């Protein structure tokens, strides 16, 4: 009886060491890459990192791709126009969820007023216009020349 | 009750943090609580978007698009971030002078001292060397009233025709193109044509970055009408091509051959509108009239196969785009610096007009050649006002005696006041400064030490001549050469009119007081002029409205008539398009068209009347292909071109003050095609030398397939890497506009 | 002892969690949450520990950014305790 228990305990201990060692190894081998997004706050981001999109293409690829293919992406309404600059030193205060009336309204006030007149105050834009994506009514301007050749 | 000092301090710290939540953190772009919204025009590009500036407590706190102007509330990222520029630490708020000459420091002084110090060298030069020894170098970003007064002071007051400006560097070829083809400057269509077009021919323009809100309008047109076709012709495949049906990359400088090739196909396939060009066009080769048959014969040199060998564009593509252009119900062409900034810029403009005149895609909704103006007020302030060395107001020419007599009568001048010879155009001006012939120059609202071509050569003039400069921002390169710096009020700190691409005049009303000791440039100009000795009767204006009143009444004596655009109307409406002869006239959409254009008599026998030409007909010019001044060769095997990026305006003195825009593009780089990069063993980020016959600079490499192989591109905004040092100053012989778009360069990695 | 007032910008929905974490650290006193996005915090610590202090805040899960709003000193000799590179720099006039 005692020897089975002892074997079990030794086995458990051995497994724990292996698993623990595995995790320690992973942490050491991939110190920042394993979850690139989680530990990088914007204040760690390199000083010379130009636009938001290049890093967000890696950290939040879904949103970055959505934006790139959306109307805002085609028209180069870049991230900071709505979201500001994340280190807080920008002209626009940083916000992960922009305030609709002032931020969206800076360009889209006529359309927002038309919508409000037709359907009443909705309170937010992104219920129907999913963040960064095409509006529900039409496809965005479809990218017509998706190729990496420079001549036709 | 005792409060520990420590607790008091903690409470204070908390209170401060709390107040920040409500206050200044939001000041840069706060929403809500605006006491009033002041109507204006964006400070940046020639699209001329209307804006509303939100004012609270005497400060500008927010900006939004004006829903009633042509942009219908939309803005691009630069316009959306204009407010922080006003309050940037880079603002110059006190006058400064270099008391001890060019090697001295700039020291702050009073306005009195600065203006006298500024005026005296001009007085002296006038007395000792005459009117040709002083000059004014103005800007397509100055307000119309400022340019009008400066032009009048110089040409009528000082009797000097040395009035030129930075539109010489960007729009002069478009101006000469319109005038040679149609007899008068400025487009005949408007932005409304974009909403009705079936085909867009975009050539030499990165519209998505240089005119973003117009790009949106084009994209929207395509979105709502999927049959609309978009052709983008550009050696670079920019973001603009994302909505293109066909992207045509041609060898840099060969677009003249391309367009002649298109004309060849259009005629061969009988897609030309013989009725239109037979009735409304003359054919001219050089200065000699020819006929349609000779034009056809001329185009024999431009078969698709021959053009393919010149341009590297496949013959099938040339046929395809020619058909798209001609067969559409209405084609709108748009072009910008790729066409204008060339040694054959005027010819390139003519060739675009040719395509429209051949096919009849002109003077009807959705069909027009629409030249995109780069700056916000090159049209209204410089072209229409005539503030260039060879022009007088409203399309008149200095060297035309009848025109001089007209202006002398209109301005109540003794006959013979206006000098009969044209003054120095920009390159000649800076060469004259180097030679010592021009001793003093007044530079207004532009940054020539950064934007002139062949910088090392032409900035020498700034080192010798006495330079007075109005400037708002400390980062302007030209300040290094200025003897006097006068802080002008910035944008919405004063009122004035901008005239944009589509013949639309819009008013920016004063939203806030000028910061610091800055003063409206109009006041500065008049004060300066009086101290130099201009007759005060020539400039009897109390404010910008007075200037506008004189200018609009003057315009009634020409076909650039906008007498109906009064100040009151500008305040009420969000821009009006000229011709507009009376206050109840709504403004003109289709110019040269009977019943639309009030300058065409109502009983004119023809529907279209190109009244700028003596016989009412436009000209189709036989313009041959002529290569660029400095194409690539064995020694300098790459073509270098330059341009803008969306985030920065010109020399980035304004956009550089906005942290987000600065971070988006902190510095210049060189775009290299991946094929070329591989051959040169260059990877992304490597320091790369661009060496031309003028100079060499090192840029970080950006490997991208935007440029075709053999072409490299670098933006020109970076004051630490001024690419204009690498360029020559060869210019179009007709327009005197330099070729900024093509020079030959070596490309190699720093070892 | 330095007294530092600052705002912590947090991910939406994380404000309570972050506040509790900060409450657990002796140097910080929290003064409330604004719009579920910002925390008002005052930190109290010897000046030489200031940089490390803010790094710890930034390291807390859910913190996006730290905006310092005020800083005062009490009961300490700056020259002796604070490294030179953190001392105030005279403004250049060029």
């Amino acid at each position: 009886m005692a020897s089975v228990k002892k074997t079990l305990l030794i086995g458990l201990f051995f497994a724990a060491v292996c698993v623990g060692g595995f995790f320690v190894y992973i942490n050491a081998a991939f110190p920042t890459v394993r979850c690139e997004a989680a530990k990088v706050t914007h204040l760690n981001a390199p000083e010379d990192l130009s636009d938001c999109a290049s890093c967000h293409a890696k950290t939040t690829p879904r949103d970055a791709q959505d934006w790139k293919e959306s109307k805002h992406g085609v028209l180069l309404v870049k991230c900071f126009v709505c979201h500001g600059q994340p280190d807080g030193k920008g002209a626009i205060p940083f916000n992960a969820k922009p305030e609709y009336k002032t931020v969206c309204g800076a360009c889209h006030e006529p359309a927002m007023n038309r919508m409000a007149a037709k359907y009443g105050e909705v309170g937010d834009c992104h219920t129907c216009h999913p963040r960064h994506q095409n509006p529900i009514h039409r496809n965005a301007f479809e990218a017509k020349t998706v190729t990496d050749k420079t001549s036709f | 009750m005792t409060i520990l000092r420590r607790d008091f301090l903690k409470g204070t710290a908390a209170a401060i943090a709390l107040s920040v939540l409500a206050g200044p953190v939001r000041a840069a772009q706060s929403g809500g609580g605006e006491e009033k919204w002041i109507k204006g025009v964006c400070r940046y590009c020639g699209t001329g978007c209307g804006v509303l500036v939100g004012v609270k407590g005497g400060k500008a706190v927010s900006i939004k698009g004006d829903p009633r102007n042509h942009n219908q509330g939309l803005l691009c990222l630069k316009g959306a971030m204009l407010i922080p520029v006003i309050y940037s630490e880079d603002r110059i708020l006190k006058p400064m002078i270099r008391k001890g000459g060019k090697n001295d420091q700039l020291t702050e002084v009073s306005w009195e001292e600065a203006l006298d110090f500024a005026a005296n060298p001009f007085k002296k030069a006038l007395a000792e060397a005459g009117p040709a020894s002083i000059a004014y170098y103005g800007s397509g970003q100055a307000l119309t009233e400022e340019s009008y007064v400066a032009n009048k002071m110089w040409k009528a007051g000082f009797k000097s025709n040395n009035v030129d400006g930075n539109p010489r560097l960007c729009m002069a070829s478009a101006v000469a193109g319109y005038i040679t083809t149609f007899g008068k400057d400025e487009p005949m269509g408007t932005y409304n044509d974009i909403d009705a077009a079936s085909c867009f021919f975009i050539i030499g323009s990165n519209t998505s970055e240089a005119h973003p809100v117009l790009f949106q309008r084009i994209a929207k047109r395509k979105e709502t009408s999927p049959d609309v076709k978009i052709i983008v012709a550009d050696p670079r495949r920019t973001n603009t091509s994302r909505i293109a049906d066909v992207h045509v990359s041609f060898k840099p400088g060969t677009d003249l051959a391309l367009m002649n090739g298109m004309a060849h196909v259009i005629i061969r396939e009988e897609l030309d509108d013989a009725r239109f060009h037979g009735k409304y066009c003359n054919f001219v080769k050089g200065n000699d009239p020819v006929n349609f048959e000779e034009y056809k014969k001329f185009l024999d040199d431009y078969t698709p196969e021959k053009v393919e060998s010149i341009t590297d564009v496949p013959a099938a593509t040339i046929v395809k785009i020619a058909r798209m252009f001609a067969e559409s119900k209405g084609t709108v062409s748009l072009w910008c610096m790729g066409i204008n900034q060339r040694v054959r810029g005027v010819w390139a403009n003519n060739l675009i007009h040719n395509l429209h005149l051949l096919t009849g895609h002109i003077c009807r909704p959705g069909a027009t050649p629409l030249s995109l103006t780069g700056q916000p007020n090159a049209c209204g302030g410089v072209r229409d006002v005539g503030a260039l060395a060879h022009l007088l107001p409203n399309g008149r020419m200095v060297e035309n005696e009848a025109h001089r007599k007209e202006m002398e009568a209109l301005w109540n001048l003794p006959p013979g006041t206006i000098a009969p010879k044209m003054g120095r155009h920009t390159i000649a001006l800076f060469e004259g400064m180097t030679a010592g012939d021009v001793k003093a120059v007044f530079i207004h609202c532009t940054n020539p030490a950064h934007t002139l071509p062949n910088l090392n050569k032409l900035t020498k003039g700034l080192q010798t001549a006495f330079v007075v400069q109005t400037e708002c921002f400390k980062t302007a390169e030209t300040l290094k050469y200025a003897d006097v710096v006068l802080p002008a009020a910035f944008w919405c700190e004063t009122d004035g009119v901008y005239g944009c691409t589509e013949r639309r005049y819009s008013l920016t009303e004063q939203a806030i007081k000028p910061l610091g000791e800055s003063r409206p440039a109009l006041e500065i100009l008049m004060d300066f002029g009086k101290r130099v000795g201009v007759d005060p009767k020539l400039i009897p204006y109390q404010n910008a409205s007075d200037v506008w009143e004189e200018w609009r009444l003057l315009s009634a004596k020409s076909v650039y008539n906008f007498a109906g655009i009064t100040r009151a109307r500008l305040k009420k409406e969000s821009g009006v398009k000229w011709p507009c002869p009376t206050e109840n006239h709504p403004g003109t959409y289709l110019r040269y068209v009977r019943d639309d254009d009030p300058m065409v008599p109502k009983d004119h026998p023809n529907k279209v009347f190109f009244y700028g030409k003596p016989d009412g007909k436009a000209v189709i010019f036989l313009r041959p292909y002529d290569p660029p001044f400095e194409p690539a060769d064995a020694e300098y095997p790459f073509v270098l071109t330059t341009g803008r990026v969306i985030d920065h305006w010109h020399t980035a003195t304004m956009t550089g003050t906005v942290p987000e825009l600065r971070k988006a593009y902190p510095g210049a780089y060189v775009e290299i095609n991946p094929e070329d990069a591989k051959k040169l063993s260059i990877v992304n980020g490597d320091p790369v030398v661009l060496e031309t016959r003028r100079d060499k600079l090192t840029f970080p490499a950006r490997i991208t397939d935007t440029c075709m192989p053999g072409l490299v591109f670098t933006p020109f905004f970076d004051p630490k890497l001024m690419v204009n040092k690498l360029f020559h100053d060869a210019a179009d012989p007709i327009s005197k506009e330099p070729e900024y778009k093509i020079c030959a360069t070596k490309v190699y990695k720093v070892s | 002892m330095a007294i530092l007032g600052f705002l912590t910008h947090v991910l939406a929905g994380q404000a309570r969690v972050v506040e509790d974490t900060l409450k657990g650290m002796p140097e910080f006193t929290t003064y409330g949450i604004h719009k579920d996005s910002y925390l008002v915090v005052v930190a109290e610590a010897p000046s030489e520990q200031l940089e490390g202090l803010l790094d710890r805040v930034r390291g807390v899960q859910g913190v996006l950014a730290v905006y310092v709003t005020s800083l005062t000193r009490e009961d300490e000799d700056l020259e002796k305790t604070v490294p030179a590179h953190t001392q105030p720099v005279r403004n250049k006039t060029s």
Side-chain angles (χ1 to χ4, degrees):
Chain A
M1 221 39 195
S3 71
V4 171
K5 201 173 172 184
K6 199 173 176 192
T7 321
L8 221 57
L9 275 168
I10 292 172
L12 221 55
F13 176 72
F14 190 64
V17 167
C18 283
V19 169
F22 178 75
F23 274 104
V24 167
Y25 169 73
I26 292 291
N27 255 306
F30 306 99
T32 51
V33 163
R34 187 154 60 110
C35 283
E36 195 168 319
K39 264 323 176 177
V40 174
T41 64
H42 285 114
L43 293 176
N44 299 357
E47 187 46 45
D48 60 353
L49 191 64
S50 54
D51 59 356
C52 323
S54 48
C55 192
H56 273 273
K58 288 182 282 191
T59 55
T60 59
R62 183 64 182 268
D63 286 340
Q65 185 73 3
D66 280 349
W67 172 81
K68 183 94 181 158
E69 292 176 352
S70 74
K71 279 186 182 174
H72 281 164
V74 175
L75 298 176
L76 298 175
V77 178
K78 296 190 178 178
C79 315
F80 52 75
V81 179
C82 303
H83 293 288
Q85 191 167 286
D87 64 7
K89 295 185 199 143
I92 297 180
F94 178 70
N95 49 78
K97 262 169 61 171
E99 205 269 317
Y100 303 106
K101 277 237 152 50
T102 46
V103 177
C104 306
C107 293
H108 296 287
E109 196 179 281
M112 287 159 79
N113 289 341
R114 280 199 298 272
M115 291 293 286
K118 260 207 239 178
Y119 304 110
E121 275 294 336
V122 178
D124 72 71
C125 304
H126 91 233
T127 312
C128 300
H129 298 271
R131 55 181 182 145
H132 309 133
Q133 284 168 329
N134 317 330
I136 53 170
H137 300 292
R138 295 190 262 269
N139 291 330
F141 325 125
E142 284 159 31
K144 288 289 163 193
T145 48
V146 189
T147 141
D148 58 9
K149 298 279 183 290
T150 50
S151 59
F152 186 76
Chain B
M1 175 184 163
T2 50
I3 299 176
L4 286 173
R5 179 177 161 81
R6 170 94 42 88
D7 290 333
F8 174 75
L9 287 172
K10 282 175 69 174
T12 312
I16 293 172
L18 276 163
S19 75
V20 165
L21 280 172
V25 164
R26 296 222 177 275
Q29 187 82 356
S30 71
E34 287 86 355
E35 291 153 9
K36 52 185 176 165
W37 292 94
I38 306 294
K39 190 156 55 68
V41 184
C42 179
R43 176 61 178 75
Y44 295 124
C45 81
T47 307
C49 296
V51 300
L52 294 168
V53 177
V55 177
K56 185 160 128 189
K59 285 192 83 165
V61 294
S62 59
I63 188 170
K64 57 185 182 187
D66 181 350
R68 288 166 53 216
N69 209 321
H70 65 78
N71 53 307
Q72 297 185 4
L74 295 171
L75 295 175
C76 82
L77 54 78
K78 292 186 301 298
M81 302 178 82
L82 255 176
I83 302 298
V85 179
I86 304 174
Y87 298 104
S88 122
E89 280 168 10
D90 285 343
R91 283 288 299 271
I92 301 176
L93 297 176
K94 283 172 100 78
M96 299 186 282
I97 65 177
R98 273 184 226 277
K99 294 191 201 196
K102 296 284 187 191
N103 292 325
D104 198 4
Q105 298 270 42
L106 281 168
T107 41
E108 290 175 350
V109 294
S110 68
W111 272 103
E112 272 301 306
E113 190 178 347
L115 284 167
D116 277 335
F117 190 80
N120 287 336
F122 286 79
K123 271 202 331 234
K124 184 159 180 278
L126 272 173
E128 293 174 6
S133 68
I134 63 168
Y136 169 83
Y137 183 67
S139 170
Q141 296 168 61
L143 294 164
T144 298
E145 296 88 337
E146 294 161 11
S147 296
Y148 176 81
V149 165
N151 196 34
K152 190 179 185 190
M153 267 185 358
W154 244 262
K155 290 181 179 156
F158 305 136
K159 305 193 178 100
S160 168
N161 292 332
N162 286 341
V163 172
D164 216 60
N166 58 18
R168 177 73 63 183
L169 307 176
C170 68
M171 297 311 295
S173 292
V175 173
Y178 275 124
I179 291 182
T180 45
T181 298
F182 300 103
K184 293 290 170 195
D185 187 15
E186 304 285 7
M188 66 289 302
T190 67
Y191 299 154
N192 294 32
D193 289 308
I194 296 176
D195 304 331
S198 301
C199 175
F200 290 94
F201 180 54
I202 302 175
I203 179 165
S205 158
N206 182 2
T207 324
S208 74
E209 296 198 59
H211 295 88
V213 171
L214 288 180
F215 178 71
Q216 185 275 345
R217 202 160 172 167
I218 296 170
K220 183 153 187 206
R221 171 69 184 149
K222 185 166 174 64
E223 185 193 22
T224 51
S225 282
D227 300 336
V228 166
K229 298 278 178 267
I230 300 182
I231 306 164
V232 176
D234 193 332
R236 293 175 68 222
R237 170 194 290 280
T238 61
N239 190 67
T240 303
S241 291
R242 287 184 70 186
I243 61 170
D245 289 278
V246 185
H247 174 86
V248 182
S249 272
F250 53 87
K251 222 163 105 196
T254 60
D255 43 9
L256 295 147
L258 178 71
M259 289 190 280
N260 273 333
M262 287 168 71
H264 174 99
V265 173
I266 288 172
I267 293 179
R268 184 182 72 189
E269 310 229 331
E270 296 183 9
L271 294 169
D272 59 313
D273 186 341
R275 187 178 168 280
F276 185 88
H277 63 71
K279 187 169 178 184
Y280 291 117
C281 300
N282 291 319
F283 294 85
V284 170
K285 183 174 186 173
N287 289 320
D288 307 314
V290 296
N291 60 27
F292 181 62
E293 292 307 312
E294 286 166 272
Y295 179 53
K296 270 171 71 173
K297 200 147 167 296
F298 165 84
L299 289 176
D300 280 343
D301 283 336
Y302 297 97
T303 63
E305 292 69 30
K306 290 196 183 135
V307 174
E308 178 175 351
S309 62
I310 300 171
T311 60
D312 287 349
V313 178
T317 308
I318 299 170
V319 173
K320 177 170 176 158
I321 62 175
R323 284 187 187 144
M324 275 163 112
F325 187 108
E327 286 172 348
S328 95
K329 284 206 288 280
T331 301
V332 171
S333 293
L334 302 118
W335 68 99
C336 203
M337 297 303 137
I339 290 280
N340 294 341
Q341 288 176 334
R342 302 271 300 288
V343 285
R344 286 301 181 194
V346 179
W347 287 11
N349 271 267
N350 291 141
L351 290 176
I352 299 177
H353 297 313
N354 281 5
L355 292 173
H356 285 267
L357 291 168
L358 264 184
T359 52
H361 282 310
I362 193 169
C363 293
R364 49 186 177 80
T368 193
L370 184 63
S371 153
L372 293 170
T373 303
Q375 297 187 83
N377 201 24
C379 292
V382 177
R383 288 157 73 174
D384 303 344
V385 159
L388 288 175
H390 63 296
L391 290 179
L392 289 169
N394 293 137
R396 299 179 179 92
M397 312 284 274
V398 159
E399 297 198 344
N400 180 317
E401 196 183 343
H403 291 172
R404 286 201 307 277
K405 287 203 162 95
E406 271 176 48
M407 279 322 299
E408 283 161 359
L410 288 167
W411 276 341
N412 286 323
L413 303 169
T417 304
I418 300 176
K421 267 192 69 199
M422 75 173 258
R424 290 175 179 273
H425 58 83
T426 299
I427 292 178
L429 169 60
F430 284 86
E431 286 173 344
M433 283 157 63
T434 312
D437 297 323
V438 177
K439 303 190 189 305
V441 64
F442 192 108
I443 298 178
H444 176 45
C445 203
T446 179
N447 194 3
H450 190 144
T451 54
L452 288 168
N454 204 344
L455 268 179
N456 295 337
K457 171 183 162 201
L458 292 178
T459 46
K460 288 206 180 84
L462 290 166
Q463 290 165 14
T464 31
F466 183 81
V467 176
V468 176
Q469 184 186 0
T470 59
E471 178 57 57
C472 295
F473 297 95
K474 293 179 189 154
T475 46
E477 188 70 14
T478 311
L479 290 171
K480 296 187 178 148
Y481 306 90
D483 294 279
V484 182
V485 179
L486 303 171
F490 176 65
W491 180 47
C492 62
E493 294 169 11
T494 184
D495 66 316
V497 176
Y498 268 178
C500 72
T501 295
E502 64 158 1
R503 290 184 272 110
R504 185 187 205 102
Y505 288 169
S506 303
L507 172 68
T508 296
E509 298 181 63
Q510 184 179 7
I512 52 175
K513 287 209 187 57
L515 261 58
E517 293 182 40
S518 66
R519 289 170 67 191
L522 181 64
E523 280 177 35
I524 299 176
L525 280 164
M526 292 199 289
D527 200 338
F528 166 83
K530 287 184 197 145
R531 286 169 204 248
V532 176
V534 83
D535 182 359
K537 288 204 300 297
L538 279 176
I539 48 171
Y541 318 110
Q542 296 299 318
N543 49 37
S545 297
D546 288 348
V547 181
W548 186 256
E549 189 62 14
E550 176 180 312
W551 172 220
R552 79 168 175 95
L553 291 172
L554 207 106
S555 76
K557 305 284 190 289
S558 77
V559 296
Y560 295 78
N561 185 345
F562 64 92
I565 307 183
T566 59
R567 203 70 163 188
R569 225 176 135 186
L570 284 169
K571 285 194 178 133
K572 215 169 58 133
E573 302 180 42
S574 291
V576 184
K577 294 188 279 232
W578 61 268
C580 182
T582 55
E583 280 184 61
N584 56 7
H585 190 276
T588 301
Y589 171 14
L590 298 169
R591 200 164 162 229
Y592 303 132
V593 175
R594 185 188 62 206
D595 298 323
D596 249 87
D597 184 344
M599 301 293 110
V600 176
K602 289 250 186 259
D603 58 356
H604 191 82
N606 296 331
K607 178 124 194 268
V608 176
F609 177 34
F610 295 113
Y611 44 74
K613 290 287 187 181
D615 62 355
K617 292 190 188 183
V619 177
I620 292 181
F621 281 98
L622 278 61
R623 301 292 198 203
Y625 165 61
D626 199 22
F629 176 75
E630 193 186 72
D633 57 29
E635 210 192 332
Y636 294 87
F638 282 83
V639 172
L640 168 65
T641 191
T642 172
R644 284 187 45 220
V645 292
I646 189 175
D647 307 77
H648 282 303
W649 171 258
H650 285 198
T651 61
T653 53
M654 292 182 278
T655 50
T657 65
V658 181
E660 287 88 337
L661 297 174
R662 199 171 53 240
K663 247 188 188 297
Y665 282 101
Y669 50 87
V670 58
E671 271 179 8
I672 306 180
N673 185 285
E675 283 175 38
D676 292 329
K678 202 148 156 216
K679 289 192 200 131
L680 298 167
S681 310
I682 296 174
V683 298
N684 211 37
D686 277 348
V688 169
V689 179
L690 296 182
E691 181 179 336
T692 68
R693 292 180 169 91
R694 270 73 47 192
D695 202 345
K696 62 178 188 223
L697 290 170
T698 307
F699 296 84
R702 188 181 279 207
I703 312 300
T704 158
D705 74 341
T706 305
C707 286
M708 58 191 294
L711 175 67
V712 292
F713 167 90
T714 135
F716 75 92
F717 68 83
D718 190 350
K720 297 190 293 294
L721 283 171
M722 294 188 288
V723 64
N724 286 356
K725 288 185 182 169
L726 304 177
F727 274 86
H728 54 75
D729 54 338
D732 184 304
I734 304 174
S735 67
K736 316 290 186 226
E737 180 168 348
E739 185 162 73
Y740 284 104
K741 286 298 176 182
I742 301 171
C743 76
T745 185
K746 294 184 189 169
V747 178
Y748 52 88
K749 200 160 85 164
V750 170
S751 44
Chain C
M1 204 58 138
I3 294 165
L4 184 80
F6 62 95
L7 295 171
T8 322
H9 197 153
V10 300
L11 280 172
Q14 301 271 306
R16 291 251 165 273
V17 174
V18 174
E19 191 186 20
D20 289 336
T21 313
L22 290 177
K23 275 183 180 156
M25 303 182 189
E27 299 91 342
F28 299 106
T29 318
T30 58
Y31 287 82
I33 301 172
H34 178 72
K35 285 196 177 162
D36 204 37
S37 284
Y38 299 96
L39 266 65
V40 179
V41 188
V42 173
E44 230 182 319
S47 296
E48 62 265 32
Q49 291 174 15
L50 270 182
E51 280 180 283
L53 203 74
L54 290 180
D55 285 338
R56 279 167 56 205
V57 176
R58 289 181 197 122
V60 171
Q61 279 285 17
V63 170
L64 284 169
V66 167
Y67 310 134
V68 174
T69 54
S70 67
L71 169 62
T72 50
R73 263 192 325 113
E74 182 70 6
D75 308 326
E76 53 178 18
D77 189 347
L78 198 66
E79 278 73 37
K80 289 217 184 73
T81 56
V82 178
H85 76 273
T86 61
Q87 297 212 17
V89 174
R90 300 255 171 278
N91 278 335
K92 300 203 190 104
T93 47
S94 64

